[in-house]
Protein backbone atom coordinates (compact mmCIF):
# COMPACT_ATOMS: atom_id res chain seq x y z
CA UNK A 1 0.00 0.00 0.00
CA UNK A 2 1.22 3.51 -0.72
CA UNK A 3 0.05 7.09 -0.79
CA UNK A 4 -0.08 9.49 -3.66
CA UNK A 5 -0.93 13.18 -3.60
CA UNK A 6 -0.38 16.28 -1.49
CA UNK A 7 -1.36 17.06 2.08
CA UNK A 8 -5.04 17.43 1.41
CA UNK A 9 -5.25 14.59 -1.10
CA UNK A 10 -4.22 11.13 0.00
CA UNK A 11 -4.86 8.19 -2.30
CA UNK A 12 -4.64 4.80 -0.67
CA UNK A 13 -3.21 2.01 -2.84
CA UNK A 14 -3.37 -1.71 -2.21
CA UNK A 15 -1.10 -4.12 -4.01
CA UNK A 16 -1.55 -7.78 -3.20
CA UNK A 17 1.63 -9.73 -2.53
CA UNK A 18 0.57 -13.09 -4.01
CA UNK A 19 3.86 -14.78 -3.16
CA UNK A 20 3.17 -13.85 0.47
CA UNK A 21 -0.28 -15.43 0.14
CA UNK A 22 1.04 -18.71 -1.30
CA UNK A 23 1.07 -20.60 2.02
CA UNK A 24 -2.46 -19.47 2.89
CA UNK A 25 -3.72 -20.49 -0.57
CA UNK A 26 -2.15 -23.94 -0.14
CA UNK A 27 -3.81 -24.30 3.28
CA UNK A 28 -7.16 -23.35 1.81
CA UNK A 29 -6.68 -25.87 -1.05
CA UNK A 30 -6.14 -28.53 1.62
CA UNK A 31 -9.01 -27.33 3.83
CA UNK A 32 -11.59 -27.19 1.04
CA UNK A 33 -11.14 -30.71 -0.31
CA UNK A 34 -14.76 -31.75 0.25
CA UNK A 35 -16.25 -28.57 -1.24
CA UNK A 36 -13.95 -28.80 -4.27
CA UNK A 37 -14.73 -32.49 -4.82
CA UNK A 38 -18.51 -31.94 -4.67
CA UNK A 39 -18.43 -28.93 -7.01
CA UNK A 40 -16.01 -30.65 -9.42
CA UNK A 41 -18.32 -33.69 -9.63
CA UNK A 42 -21.28 -31.42 -10.39
CA UNK A 43 -19.42 -29.60 -13.18
CA UNK A 44 -17.70 -32.33 -15.17
CA UNK A 45 -19.38 -34.14 -18.07
CA UNK A 46 -18.63 -37.54 -19.54
CA UNK A 47 -16.25 -37.03 -22.45
CA UNK A 48 -14.51 -33.93 -21.03
CA UNK A 49 -10.90 -34.26 -22.14
CA UNK A 50 -9.30 -30.91 -21.38
CA UNK A 51 -10.08 -28.75 -18.37
CA UNK A 52 -8.30 -25.76 -16.85
CA UNK A 53 -8.28 -23.91 -13.54
CA UNK A 54 -7.28 -20.27 -14.06
CA UNK A 55 -5.86 -18.38 -11.07
CA UNK A 56 -5.60 -21.77 -9.43
CA UNK A 57 -4.09 -20.67 -6.10
CA UNK A 58 -3.02 -23.75 -4.13
CA UNK A 59 -4.52 -26.04 -6.79
CA UNK A 60 -7.41 -27.41 -4.73
CA UNK A 61 -9.97 -27.36 -7.53
CA UNK A 62 -7.45 -28.46 -10.18
CA UNK A 63 -6.75 -31.56 -8.10
CA UNK A 64 -10.46 -32.21 -7.56
CA UNK A 65 -11.11 -31.90 -11.31
CA UNK A 66 -8.29 -34.36 -12.07
CA UNK A 67 -9.77 -36.82 -9.58
CA UNK A 68 -13.27 -36.38 -11.04
CA UNK A 69 -12.00 -36.92 -14.61
CA UNK A 70 -9.40 -39.69 -14.67
CA UNK A 71 -7.56 -39.66 -17.99
CA UNK A 72 -8.40 -36.03 -18.81
CA UNK A 73 -5.75 -33.32 -19.17
CA UNK A 74 -6.05 -30.82 -16.31
CA UNK A 75 -4.05 -27.60 -16.51
CA UNK A 76 -3.63 -25.31 -13.50
CA UNK A 77 -2.65 -21.75 -14.39
CA UNK A 78 -1.58 -18.92 -12.13
CA UNK A 79 0.26 -15.63 -12.60
CA UNK A 80 2.47 -16.03 -9.53
CA UNK A 81 5.40 -18.51 -9.56
CA UNK A 82 5.38 -19.09 -5.78
CA UNK A 83 1.64 -19.75 -5.76
CA UNK A 84 2.06 -22.09 -8.74
CA UNK A 85 4.77 -23.99 -6.88
CA UNK A 86 2.26 -24.66 -4.08
CA UNK A 87 -0.26 -25.89 -6.67
CA UNK A 88 2.42 -28.12 -8.21
CA UNK A 89 3.17 -29.73 -4.85
CA UNK A 90 -0.49 -30.07 -3.89
CA UNK A 91 -1.53 -31.66 -7.18
CA UNK A 92 1.50 -33.99 -7.16
CA UNK A 93 1.73 -35.00 -10.81
CA UNK A 94 -2.05 -35.18 -11.45
CA UNK A 95 -2.14 -31.75 -13.08
CA UNK A 96 0.05 -29.76 -15.46
CA UNK A 97 0.94 -26.39 -13.87
CA UNK A 98 1.64 -23.37 -16.09
CA UNK A 99 2.55 -19.74 -15.45
CA UNK A 100 0.36 -17.19 -17.30
CA UNK A 101 -1.66 -14.08 -16.53
CA UNK A 102 -5.21 -13.20 -17.51
CA UNK A 103 -3.97 -9.62 -17.85
CA UNK A 104 -1.95 -10.61 -20.95
CA UNK A 105 -4.96 -11.62 -23.06
CA UNK A 106 -5.98 -15.02 -24.41
CA UNK A 107 -2.85 -16.15 -26.27
CA UNK A 108 -0.54 -17.02 -23.34
CA UNK A 109 -3.44 -18.91 -21.73
CA UNK A 110 -4.18 -20.72 -25.01
CA UNK A 111 -0.53 -21.76 -25.33
CA UNK A 112 -0.52 -22.94 -21.71
CA UNK A 113 -3.63 -25.13 -22.13
CA UNK A 114 -2.57 -26.22 -25.64
CA UNK A 115 -6.03 -27.44 -26.79
CA UNK A 116 -9.61 -26.11 -26.76
CA UNK A 117 -11.00 -26.63 -23.26
CA UNK A 118 -14.19 -28.51 -22.39
CA UNK A 119 -14.38 -26.82 -19.01
CA UNK A 120 -12.69 -23.76 -17.55
CA UNK A 121 -12.92 -22.98 -13.85
CA UNK A 122 -11.86 -19.64 -12.37
CA UNK A 123 -12.52 -19.03 -8.68
CA UNK A 124 -11.98 -15.64 -7.06
CA UNK A 125 -9.35 -14.85 -9.69
CA UNK A 126 -11.13 -12.88 -12.42
CA UNK A 127 -11.91 -10.16 -9.87
CA UNK A 128 -8.13 -9.60 -9.63
CA UNK A 129 -7.78 -8.98 -13.39
CA UNK A 130 -7.49 -5.30 -14.28
CA UNK A 131 -10.20 -5.63 -16.95
CA UNK A 132 -12.62 -8.32 -15.77
CA UNK A 133 -14.71 -8.35 -18.96
CA UNK A 134 -11.56 -8.70 -21.08
CA UNK A 135 -10.51 -11.62 -18.85
CA UNK A 136 -13.92 -13.30 -19.21
CA UNK A 137 -13.74 -12.74 -23.01
CA UNK A 138 -10.27 -14.34 -23.05
CA UNK A 139 -11.41 -17.35 -21.01
CA UNK A 140 -14.52 -17.83 -23.20
CA UNK A 141 -12.32 -17.82 -26.32
CA UNK A 142 -10.39 -20.84 -24.97
CA UNK A 143 -13.47 -23.09 -24.96
CA UNK A 144 -14.17 -25.94 -27.35
CA UNK A 145 -17.64 -25.83 -29.03
CA UNK A 146 -20.15 -26.64 -26.25
CA UNK A 147 -17.50 -26.08 -23.55
CA UNK A 148 -18.40 -24.45 -20.22
CA UNK A 149 -16.90 -21.52 -18.36
CA UNK A 150 -17.54 -21.58 -14.59
CA UNK A 151 -16.72 -18.45 -12.58
CA UNK A 152 -16.87 -18.80 -8.80
CA UNK A 153 -17.44 -15.24 -7.67
CA UNK A 154 -19.48 -13.68 -4.91
CA UNK A 155 -22.35 -15.27 -3.05
CA UNK A 156 -23.29 -14.14 0.45
CA UNK A 157 -20.99 -12.99 3.23
CA UNK A 158 -20.37 -16.01 5.45
CA UNK A 159 -21.61 -16.00 9.05
CA UNK A 160 -19.68 -17.53 11.96
CA UNK A 161 -20.35 -15.44 15.05
CA UNK A 162 -23.38 -14.77 17.24
CA UNK A 163 -24.60 -11.19 16.74
CA UNK A 164 -23.81 -10.29 20.37
CA UNK A 165 -20.49 -11.65 21.60
CA UNK A 166 -20.44 -9.78 24.90
CA UNK A 167 -17.31 -7.96 23.71
CA UNK A 168 -17.61 -4.68 21.81
CA UNK A 169 -20.79 -3.53 20.11
CA UNK A 170 -23.02 -6.27 18.64
CA UNK A 171 -22.74 -6.73 14.86
CA UNK A 172 -18.93 -6.99 14.69
CA UNK A 173 -18.90 -9.55 11.87
CA UNK A 174 -21.27 -7.47 9.76
CA UNK A 175 -19.09 -4.38 10.17
CA UNK A 176 -16.00 -6.42 9.26
CA UNK A 177 -17.75 -7.43 6.01
CA UNK A 178 -18.49 -3.78 5.25
CA UNK A 179 -14.87 -2.77 5.93
CA UNK A 180 -13.71 -5.55 3.63
CA UNK A 181 -16.08 -4.35 0.94
CA UNK A 182 -14.47 -0.89 1.10
CA UNK A 183 -11.03 -2.57 1.02
CA UNK A 184 -12.09 -4.48 -2.10
CA UNK A 185 -13.06 -1.25 -3.90
CA UNK A 186 -9.63 0.27 -3.13
CA UNK A 187 -7.90 -2.97 -4.21
CA UNK A 188 -9.73 -2.87 -7.58
CA UNK A 189 -9.07 0.84 -8.09
CA UNK A 190 -5.36 0.24 -7.35
CA UNK A 191 -4.89 -2.30 -10.16
CA UNK A 192 -2.90 -0.69 -13.00
CA UNK A 193 -5.32 -0.12 -15.88
CA UNK A 194 -8.34 -1.03 -13.74
CA UNK A 195 -11.59 -1.04 -15.73
CA UNK A 196 -14.96 -0.97 -13.92
CA UNK A 197 -17.46 -3.74 -14.64
CA UNK A 198 -20.77 -2.22 -13.53
CA UNK A 199 -22.88 -5.35 -14.08
CA UNK A 200 -23.11 -8.93 -12.86
CA UNK A 201 -21.24 -12.11 -13.78
CA UNK A 202 -23.97 -13.75 -15.90
CA UNK A 203 -24.10 -10.56 -17.96
CA UNK A 204 -20.29 -10.72 -18.35
CA UNK A 205 -20.57 -14.33 -19.58
CA UNK A 206 -23.29 -13.34 -22.06
CA UNK A 207 -21.24 -10.37 -23.35
CA UNK A 208 -18.38 -12.84 -23.89
CA UNK A 209 -20.61 -14.68 -26.39
CA UNK A 210 -21.62 -17.57 -24.12
CA UNK A 211 -25.19 -18.86 -23.96
CA UNK A 212 -27.53 -20.00 -21.19
CA UNK A 213 -25.60 -18.07 -18.54
CA UNK A 214 -26.90 -18.93 -15.10
CA UNK A 215 -25.86 -19.17 -11.45
CA UNK A 216 -25.81 -22.05 -9.01
CA UNK A 217 -25.03 -21.27 -5.41
CA UNK A 218 -23.62 -23.77 -2.96
CA UNK A 219 -24.53 -23.56 0.71
CA UNK A 220 -22.11 -24.92 3.29
CA UNK A 221 -23.21 -25.30 6.89
CA UNK A 222 -21.37 -26.55 9.96
CA UNK A 223 -23.44 -25.93 13.10
CA UNK A 224 -22.00 -25.06 16.52
CA UNK A 225 -20.17 -26.48 18.32
CA UNK A 226 -17.48 -26.79 15.65
CA UNK A 227 -14.91 -29.57 15.89
CA UNK A 228 -11.54 -28.19 17.15
CA UNK A 229 -9.85 -28.11 13.71
CA UNK A 230 -12.74 -26.29 12.08
CA UNK A 231 -12.92 -23.82 14.97
CA UNK A 232 -9.21 -23.16 14.61
CA UNK A 233 -9.54 -22.49 10.89
CA UNK A 234 -12.45 -20.08 11.46
CA UNK A 235 -10.39 -18.16 14.03
CA UNK A 236 -7.38 -18.20 11.70
CA UNK A 237 -9.51 -16.77 8.89
CA UNK A 238 -10.68 -13.90 11.15
CA UNK A 239 -7.07 -13.23 12.13
CA UNK A 240 -6.05 -13.03 8.45
CA UNK A 241 -8.91 -10.67 7.67
CA UNK A 242 -8.03 -8.34 10.55
CA UNK A 243 -4.32 -8.43 9.67
CA UNK A 244 -5.17 -7.55 6.08
CA UNK A 245 -7.11 -4.49 7.22
CA UNK A 246 -4.57 -3.35 9.80
CA UNK A 247 -1.47 -4.04 7.74
CA UNK A 248 0.01 -6.07 10.59
CA UNK A 249 0.94 -8.87 8.21
CA UNK A 250 3.35 -6.59 6.33
CA UNK A 251 5.53 -8.41 3.86
CA UNK A 252 3.36 -11.48 3.78
CA UNK A 253 -0.12 -10.23 3.32
CA UNK A 254 -2.51 -8.24 1.23
CA UNK A 255 -0.48 -5.03 1.03
CA UNK A 256 -0.38 -2.38 3.69
CA UNK A 257 -2.81 0.15 5.10
CA UNK A 258 -2.44 3.57 6.64
CA UNK A 259 -3.63 3.00 10.14
CA UNK A 260 -5.87 0.72 12.09
CA UNK A 261 -8.65 3.29 12.05
CA UNK A 262 -8.74 3.43 8.26
CA UNK A 263 -11.13 0.48 7.90
CA UNK A 264 -12.39 -0.37 11.40
CA UNK A 265 -13.26 1.91 14.32
CA UNK A 266 -10.82 1.82 17.29
CA UNK A 267 -13.65 0.28 19.36
CA UNK A 268 -14.16 -2.58 16.88
CA UNK A 269 -10.43 -3.09 16.54
CA UNK A 270 -10.08 -3.35 20.29
CA UNK A 271 -12.89 -5.92 20.39
CA UNK A 272 -11.19 -7.98 17.63
CA UNK A 273 -7.87 -7.85 19.52
CA UNK A 274 -9.56 -9.28 22.59
CA UNK A 275 -11.39 -11.94 20.59
CA UNK A 276 -8.21 -13.04 18.82
CA UNK A 277 -5.96 -13.06 21.91
CA UNK A 278 -5.39 -16.75 22.77
CA UNK A 279 -4.30 -15.77 26.30
CA UNK A 280 -7.25 -13.46 26.98
CA UNK A 281 -10.60 -14.31 28.58
CA UNK A 282 -12.59 -13.58 25.39
CA UNK A 283 -10.65 -15.73 22.91
CA UNK A 284 -12.92 -16.93 20.08
CA UNK A 285 -11.09 -20.25 20.02
CA UNK A 286 -12.53 -21.07 23.47
CA UNK A 287 -16.16 -20.59 22.46
CA UNK A 288 -18.66 -23.29 21.63
CA UNK A 289 -21.08 -21.04 19.70
CA UNK A 290 -19.13 -20.40 16.49
CA UNK A 291 -20.58 -21.94 13.32
CA UNK A 292 -20.10 -21.84 9.55
CA UNK A 293 -22.84 -20.74 7.18
CA UNK A 294 -21.61 -19.79 3.74
CA UNK A 295 -23.07 -19.45 0.25
CA UNK A 296 -20.71 -19.31 -2.74
CA UNK A 297 -21.95 -18.68 -6.25
CA UNK A 298 -20.80 -20.37 -9.45
CA UNK A 299 -21.77 -18.57 -12.67
CA UNK A 300 -21.83 -20.83 -15.71
CA UNK A 301 -21.94 -20.08 -19.45
CA UNK A 302 -21.75 -22.33 -22.53
CA UNK A 303 -19.82 -21.89 -25.77
CA UNK A 304 -22.02 -22.28 -28.85
CA UNK A 305 -21.72 -25.69 -30.55
C1 LIG B 1 -8.07 -15.20 -4.21
S1 LIG B 1 -6.95 -16.27 -4.98
C2 LIG B 1 -8.03 -17.63 -5.42
C3 LIG B 1 -7.29 -18.93 -5.58
C4 LIG B 1 -8.15 -20.14 -5.92
N1 LIG B 1 -8.73 -20.03 -7.24
C5 LIG B 1 -9.23 -20.31 -4.87
O1 LIG B 1 -10.40 -20.11 -5.17
O2 LIG B 1 -8.87 -20.66 -3.72
C6 LIG B 1 -6.64 -15.50 -6.53
C7 LIG B 1 -5.59 -16.24 -7.36
O3 LIG B 1 -5.54 -15.64 -8.67
C8 LIG B 1 -4.19 -15.44 -9.04
N2 LIG B 1 -4.19 -14.29 -9.95
C9 LIG B 1 -4.32 -13.00 -9.63
N3 LIG B 1 -4.30 -12.24 -10.74
C10 LIG B 1 -4.16 -13.10 -11.78
C11 LIG B 1 -4.06 -12.94 -13.19
N4 LIG B 1 -4.11 -11.73 -13.75
N5 LIG B 1 -3.92 -14.03 -13.98
C12 LIG B 1 -3.86 -15.27 -13.42
N6 LIG B 1 -3.94 -15.48 -12.09
C13 LIG B 1 -4.09 -14.41 -11.29
C14 LIG B 1 -3.44 -15.21 -7.75
O4 LIG B 1 -2.06 -15.48 -7.87
C15 LIG B 1 -4.17 -16.17 -6.81
O5 LIG B 1 -3.60 -17.46 -6.85
Amino acid sequence: MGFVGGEDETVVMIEIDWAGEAGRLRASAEGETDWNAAVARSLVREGDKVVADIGCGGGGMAKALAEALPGATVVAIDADPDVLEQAREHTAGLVRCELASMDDGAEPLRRAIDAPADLIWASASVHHAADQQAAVDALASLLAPGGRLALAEGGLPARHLPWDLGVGEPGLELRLDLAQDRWFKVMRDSLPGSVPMPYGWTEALTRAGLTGATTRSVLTEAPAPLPPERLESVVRAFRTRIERLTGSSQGHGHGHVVSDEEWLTPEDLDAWRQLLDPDGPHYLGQRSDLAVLSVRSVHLGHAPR
Side-chain angles (χ1 to χ4, degrees):
M1 169 144 170
F3 301 93
V4 183
E7 269 174 23
D8 49 359
E9 183 212 356
T10 303
V11 178
V12 182
M13 303 286 288
I14 292 173
E15 188 185 343
I16 300 181
D17 165 20
W18 286 115
E21 292 288 308
R24 188 186 64 75
L25 291 169
R26 169 73 178 272
S28 107
E30 282 163 4
E32 293 186 342
T33 310
D34 293 348
W35 192 90
N36 285 330
V39 173
R41 280 195 300 270
S42 77
L43 283 174
V44 300
R45 298 279 172 274
E46 217 182 302
D48 283 350
K49 289 189 170 45
V50 177
V51 308
D53 178 355
I54 315 286
C56 63
M61 182 54 93
K63 187 174 186 186
L65 288 166
E67 287 167 348
L69 280 173
T73 297
V74 181
V75 186
I77 295 177
D78 204 278
D80 185 275
D82 292 320
V83 171
L84 198 66
E85 191 49 39
Q86 292 298 327
R88 193 170 281 122
E89 282 176 22
H90 180 63
T91 56
L94 284 177
V95 164
R96 183 155 58 79
C97 294
E98 300 281 353
L99 194 66
S101 168
M102 278 179 283
D103 287 329
D104 297 334
E107 289 321 309
L109 301 169
R110 199 184 312 284
R111 278 197 298 277
I113 302 175
D114 199 29
D118 300 301
L119 172 66
I120 291 182
W121 168 264
S123 164
S125 53
V126 175
H127 70 237
H128 292 293
D131 183 339
Q132 298 168 99
Q133 182 66 62
V136 176
D137 293 348
L139 298 185
S141 80
L142 305 172
L143 293 173
R148 289 98 60 215
L149 172 56
L151 304 176
E153 292 284 351
L156 296 174
R159 284 285 156 267
H160 307 88
L161 304 181
W163 175 70
D164 185 357
L165 288 154
V167 177
E169 278 294 300
L172 266 178
E173 190 172 18
L174 201 67
R175 291 193 297 283
L176 179 58
D177 291 337
L178 292 173
Q180 211 167 312
D181 199 57
R182 297 197 311 277
W183 180 95
F184 186 81
K185 161 92 170 72
V186 175
M187 182 281 288
R188 282 239 26 106
D189 288 349
S190 305
L191 290 168
S194 181
V195 175
M197 191 183 84
Y199 46 84
W201 292 104
T202 50
E203 175 66 20
L205 290 167
T206 303
R207 290 189 191 197
L210 302 183
T211 61
T214 187
T215 302
R216 296 181 197 157
S217 294
V218 187
L219 185 147
T220 305
E221 177 156 42
L226 295 174
E229 262 185 28
R230 196 79 191 261
L231 180 61
E232 217 175 277
S233 94
V234 167
V235 176
R236 206 180 312 123
F238 276 122
R239 197 182 303 286
T240 304
R241 292 173 69 187
I242 297 297
E243 284 176 355
R244 180 182 303 168
L245 294 178
T246 59
S248 48
S249 62
Q250 287 206 356
H252 52 93
H254 274 69
H256 315 311
V257 291
V258 168
S259 73
D260 297 349
E261 288 78 13
E262 190 72 24
W263 309 98
L264 295 167
T265 63
E267 292 77 18
D268 276 8
L269 205 55
D270 180 58
W272 282 112
R273 286 197 171 121
Q274 294 187 58
L275 293 166
L276 294 171
D277 176 3
D279 301 321
H282 300 295
Y283 183 47
L284 283 179
Q286 301 285 6
R287 296 183 69 122
S288 54
D289 56 359
L290 269 63
V292 177
L293 176 61
S294 95
V295 177
R296 290 162 68 181
S297 293
V298 179
H299 313 279
L300 196 66
H302 304 256
R305 283 190 181 280

XYZ file of all heavy atoms in Angstrom, residues 262-301:
322
model
N -8.332 3.181 9.643
C -8.743 3.425 8.263
C -9.976 2.604 7.885
O -10.845 3.071 7.178
C -7.571 3.080 7.343
C -7.750 3.498 5.913
C -7.639 5.012 5.745
O -7.000 5.672 6.596
O -8.209 5.511 4.785
N -10.048 1.374 8.337
C -11.127 0.480 7.897
C -12.090 0.133 9.035
O -13.275 -0.079 8.789
C -10.545 -0.815 7.335
C -9.482 -0.593 6.314
C -8.141 -0.625 6.507
C -9.687 -0.255 4.930
N -7.484 -0.347 5.346
C -8.398 -0.122 4.356
C -10.812 -0.075 4.122
C -8.219 0.188 3.013
C -10.624 0.239 2.782
C -9.351 0.366 2.250
N -11.557 0.014 10.254
C -12.391 -0.366 11.404
C -12.292 0.728 12.462
O -11.251 1.377 12.583
C -11.879 -1.686 12.014
C -11.987 -2.928 11.134
C -11.165 -4.063 11.721
C -13.443 -3.348 10.979
N -13.341 0.915 13.242
C -13.259 1.907 14.317
C -12.305 1.382 15.396
O -12.124 0.163 15.531
C -14.638 2.134 14.969
O -15.045 0.899 15.579
C -15.677 2.591 13.953
N -11.699 2.282 16.204
C -10.818 1.822 17.289
C -11.568 0.889 18.241
O -10.978 -0.063 18.757
C -10.423 3.114 18.003
C -10.647 4.203 17.018
C -11.737 3.756 16.089
N -12.872 1.134 18.450
C -13.654 0.280 19.364
C -13.759 -1.134 18.802
O -13.560 -2.115 19.513
C -15.075 0.856 19.557
C -15.144 2.165 20.318
C -14.729 3.374 19.467
O -14.715 3.271 18.212
O -14.389 4.413 20.076
N -14.056 -1.241 17.489
C -14.164 -2.580 16.882
C -12.806 -3.278 16.877
O -12.700 -4.478 17.131
C -14.710 -2.492 15.454
C -16.234 -2.419 15.440
O -16.826 -2.286 16.537
O -16.827 -2.492 14.351
N -11.766 -2.496 16.591
C -10.434 -3.090 16.544
C -10.038 -3.640 17.916
O -9.473 -4.739 18.032
C -9.451 -2.006 16.101
C -8.202 -2.511 15.444
C -8.521 -3.398 14.264
C -7.375 -1.321 14.998
N -10.390 -2.888 18.937
C -10.082 -3.350 20.290
C -10.843 -4.645 20.591
O -10.291 -5.601 21.165
C -10.456 -2.258 21.307
C -10.145 -2.713 22.712
O -8.967 -3.032 22.958
O -11.088 -2.791 23.547
N -12.109 -4.701 20.171
C -12.887 -5.924 20.388
C -12.250 -7.105 19.651
O -12.090 -8.194 20.216
C -14.330 -5.710 19.908
N -11.828 -6.883 18.387
C -11.188 -7.979 17.634
C -9.896 -8.426 18.315
O -9.585 -9.618 18.352
C -10.910 -7.544 16.185
C -12.151 -7.588 15.335
C -12.831 -6.540 14.799
C -12.876 -8.768 14.954
N -13.934 -6.978 14.109
C -13.977 -8.344 14.184
C -12.708 -10.133 15.179
C -14.908 -9.238 13.645
C -13.627 -11.034 14.640
C -14.710 -10.586 13.892
N -9.130 -7.471 18.850
C -7.867 -7.847 19.518
C -8.153 -8.751 20.707
O -7.441 -9.722 20.941
C -7.100 -6.596 19.945
C -6.489 -5.923 18.722
C -5.391 -4.926 19.095
N -4.729 -4.491 17.877
C -4.652 -3.230 17.462
N -5.175 -2.256 18.179
N -4.042 -2.934 16.331
N -9.212 -8.430 21.439
C -9.563 -9.277 22.592
C -10.027 -10.659 22.118
O -9.644 -11.685 22.679
C -10.683 -8.631 23.399
C -10.280 -7.325 24.071
C -11.387 -6.851 24.991
O -11.776 -7.567 25.907
N -11.899 -5.657 24.724
N -10.833 -10.662 21.069
C -11.393 -11.939 20.585
C -10.327 -12.850 19.985
O -10.482 -14.066 19.961
C -12.475 -11.668 19.537
C -13.736 -10.972 20.057
C -14.592 -10.446 18.907
C -14.556 -11.940 20.926
N -9.240 -12.237 19.480
C -8.206 -13.043 18.817
C -6.987 -13.282 19.705
O -5.989 -13.835 19.258
C -7.784 -12.362 17.502
C -8.893 -12.302 16.441
C -8.484 -11.434 15.252
C -9.257 -13.714 15.956
N -7.081 -12.871 20.974
C -5.957 -13.063 21.905
C -6.095 -14.427 22.598
O -6.948 -14.614 23.464
C -5.968 -11.932 22.941
C -4.879 -12.133 24.000
O -4.095 -13.106 23.874
O -4.835 -11.332 24.938
N -5.244 -15.386 22.219
C -5.387 -16.745 22.773
C -5.207 -16.788 24.285
O -5.671 -17.732 24.936
C -4.287 -17.554 22.080
C -3.537 -16.629 21.223
C -4.108 -15.249 21.307
N -4.529 -15.767 24.855
C -4.304 -15.767 26.303
C -5.355 -14.956 27.062
O -5.319 -14.906 28.293
C -2.911 -15.193 26.617
C -1.824 -16.006 25.938
O -1.973 -17.242 25.903
O -0.871 -15.399 25.405
N -6.253 -14.307 26.327
C -7.249 -13.455 26.983
C -8.523 -14.226 27.314
O -8.734 -15.332 26.810
N -9.389 -13.613 28.142
C -10.604 -14.307 28.575
C -11.687 -14.388 27.500
O -12.659 -15.125 27.643
C -11.095 -13.438 29.747
C -10.515 -12.080 29.487
C -9.220 -12.288 28.767
N -11.526 -13.628 26.403
C -12.592 -13.578 25.390
C -12.216 -14.291 24.095
O -12.871 -14.099 23.076
C -12.939 -12.115 25.082
C -13.422 -11.370 26.283
N -14.590 -11.689 26.937
C -12.866 -10.338 26.963
C -14.749 -10.879 27.963
N -13.716 -10.063 28.018
N -11.176 -15.093 24.133
C -10.652 -15.727 22.908
C -11.743 -16.524 22.177
O -12.412 -17.387 22.775
C -9.494 -16.652 23.281
C -8.833 -17.315 22.089
C -8.473 -16.574 20.964
C -8.555 -18.686 22.100
C -7.855 -17.174 19.870
C -7.930 -19.299 21.016
C -7.588 -18.533 19.899
O -6.988 -19.138 18.830
N -11.892 -16.228 20.887
C -12.916 -16.930 20.083
C -12.696 -18.441 20.070
O -13.651 -19.214 20.016
C -12.876 -16.428 18.632
C -13.493 -15.075 18.307
C -13.316 -14.779 16.817
C -14.981 -15.043 18.675
N -11.426 -18.832 20.096
C -11.091 -20.251 20.017
C -11.533 -21.055 21.233
O -11.434 -22.288 21.235
N -12.037 -20.365 22.272
C -12.528 -21.075 23.469
C -14.051 -21.212 23.456
O -14.624 -21.785 24.370
C -12.164 -20.291 24.751
C -10.689 -20.060 24.950
C -9.983 -21.335 25.397
O -10.586 -22.402 25.448
N -8.706 -21.227 25.711
N -14.702 -20.639 22.443
C -16.164 -20.586 22.458
C -16.766 -21.807 21.785
O -16.165 -22.419 20.903
C -16.662 -19.322 21.750
C -16.240 -18.036 22.457
C -16.807 -16.812 21.760
N -18.246 -16.713 21.905
C -18.888 -15.684 22.448
N -18.210 -14.640 22.904
N -20.202 -15.682 22.521
N -17.986 -22.133 22.224
C -18.660 -23.292 21.631
C -19.825 -22.843 20.748
O -20.622 -23.669 20.317
C -19.182 -24.204 22.744
O -19.980 -23.441 23.625
N -19.932 -21.514 20.481
C -21.083 -21.043 19.699
C -20.691 -20.466 18.340
O -21.444 -19.719 17.727
C -21.898 -20.016 20.508
C -21.042 -18.844 20.984
O -19.822 -18.835 20.695
O -21.592 -17.948 21.653
N -19.483 -20.805 17.850
C -19.126 -20.403 16.491
C -19.629 -21.468 15.517
O -19.664 -22.664 15.856
C -17.610 -20.261 16.336
C -17.049 -18.854 16.619
C -17.284 -18.458 18.070
C -15.580 -18.770 16.286
N -20.034 -21.026 14.331
C -20.576 -21.942 13.324
C -20.075 -21.500 11.950
O -19.371 -20.495 11.832
C -22.097 -21.898 13.369
N -20.413 -22.258 10.920
C -20.097 -21.843 9.549
C -21.390 -21.885 8.743
O -22.071 -22.913 8.715
C -19.065 -22.791 8.878
C -18.828 -22.375 7.426
C -17.748 -22.816 9.646
N -21.732 -20.773 8.134
C -22.845 -20.742 7.179
C -22.369 -19.900 6.007
O -22.145 -18.693 6.150
C -24.082 -20.110 7.822
C -25.283 -19.942 6.878
C -25.762 -21.294 6.358
C -26.423 -19.231 7.590
N -22.131 -20.559 4.865
C -21.612 -19.786 3.738
C -22.329 -20.188 2.453
O -22.783 -21.319 2.295
C -20.095 -19.970 3.610
O -19.784 -20.985 2.698
N -22.446 -19.218 1.559
C -23.072 -19.454 0.252
C -22.133 -18.882 -0.809
O -21.848 -17.689 -0.804
C -24.448 -18.756 0.154
C -25.034 -18.966 -1.242
C -25.400 -19.269 1.225
N -21.612 -19.766 -1.661
C -20.711 -19.311 -2.737
C -21.376 -19.555 -4.077
O -21.971 -20.616 -4.299
C -19.382 -20.060 -2.637
C -18.602 -19.608 -1.405
C -17.519 -20.594 -1.039
N -16.449 -20.630 -2.024
C -15.392 -21.441 -1.917
N -15.287 -22.275 -0.900
N -14.456 -21.414 -2.828
N -21.258 -18.590 -4.962
C -21.950 -18.678 -6.254
C -21.003 -19.102 -7.374
O -19.858 -18.659 -7.432
C -22.569 -17.327 -6.619
O -23.602 -17.038 -5.708
N -21.527 -19.958 -8.251
C -20.797 -20.371 -9.447
C -21.643 -19.949 -10.653
O -22.789 -20.363 -10.788
C -20.575 -21.897 -9.475
C -19.830 -22.300 -10.751
C -19.801 -22.361 -8.229
N -21.068 -19.082 -11.493
C -21.774 -18.567 -12.674
C -21.260 -19.343 -13.882
O -20.055 -19.454 -14.089
C -21.505 -17.076 -12.837
C -21.678 -16.317 -11.545
N -22.899 -15.928 -11.061
C -20.766 -15.931 -10.618
C -22.731 -15.315 -9.900
N -21.447 -15.307 -9.606
N -22.200 -19.866 -14.664
C -21.835 -20.826 -15.713
C -22.363 -20.356 -17.069
O -23.532 -19.971 -17.179
C -22.496 -22.160 -15.335
C -22.029 -23.418 -15.999
C -20.593 -23.729 -15.587
C -22.940 -24.587 -15.607
N -21.502 -20.389 -18.088
C -21.938 -20.075 -19.454
C -21.409 -21.132 -20.412
O -20.425 -21.820 -20.109
